[in-house]
Amino acid sequence: MSLDMTGHIDDVFASTPVIVKAFTAGHRDDFGIWVPGTSIDEVYTATTQPLRDRELDNLLRAGKRILDSRKIYINSGDLEKLKLSNDVEFLGQLWEIIDSDIRPWRTYAKIVVSRYDEQPT
């Protein structure tokens, strides 16, 4: 039996590059002024999919304001860095991570994102 998935996944689920924006922890300098952490941008290969109705309903019940939401399955990249992330950039837009299931020991990562308002299109 062949484990090759060629021909079984259609073009709808094509992989795309996703830039994950994480930040190192900030600190206070010698004068007590807050110094924000540095930005870490990491490029991942991912598959994006729309949320199912039930997933969207659960987020809305939790009080999340959802403009445009997607599920992102990470196909390659450092999953440990992904745990520190706040935002994702793909399709020319910036997205907030609102839910995640990251299991580096299983090489599995699914994040749910919502697009930020009022961005140039």
Side-chain angles (χ1 to χ4, degrees):
M1 175 185 269
S2 173
L3 296 177
D4 185 14
M5 293 301 290
T6 305
H8 293 279
I9 300 173
D10 61 24
D11 294 335
V12 173
F13 299 112
S15 294
T16 183
V18 172
I19 300 170
V20 175
K21 298 183 175 293
F23 297 90
T24 60
H27 66 280
R28 297 204 180 273
D29 66 10
D30 295 338
F31 302 104
I33 298 176
W34 180 254
V35 178
T38 58
S39 175
I40 303 170
D41 291 352
E42 187 84 17
V43 179
Y44 293 86
T45 301
T47 304
T48 61
Q49 299 177 14
L51 289 180
R52 295 186 325 245
D53 290 341
R54 184 175 182 153
E55 292 169 316
L56 182 58
D57 186 49
N58 287 340
L59 288 172
L60 292 171
R61 287 179 187 213
K64 296 285 186 182
R65 182 177 177 274
I66 306 295
L67 177 67
D68 180 8
S69 57
R70 311 280 170 96
K71 286 186 286 194
I72 299 176
Y73 291 94
I74 303 296
N75 299 330
S76 68
D78 184 356
L79 299 183
E80 289 296 333
K81 286 184 183 175
L82 189 60
K83 289 180 180 182
L84 302 172
S85 59
N86 300 320
D87 296 324
V88 172
E89 185 178 323
F90 71 101
L91 301 176
Q93 298 286 304
L94 194 59
W95 305 68
E96 174 188 18
I97 296 176
I98 55 177
D99 193 16
S100 64
D101 182 4
I102 302 169
R103 303 177 213 170
W105 62 93
R106 300 284 310 247
T107 62
Y108 173 83
K110 176 183 94 170
I111 55 177
V112 177
V113 297
S114 177
R115 186 170 51 87
Y116 284 111
D117 287 349
E118 300 183 22
Q119 295 184 62
T121 57

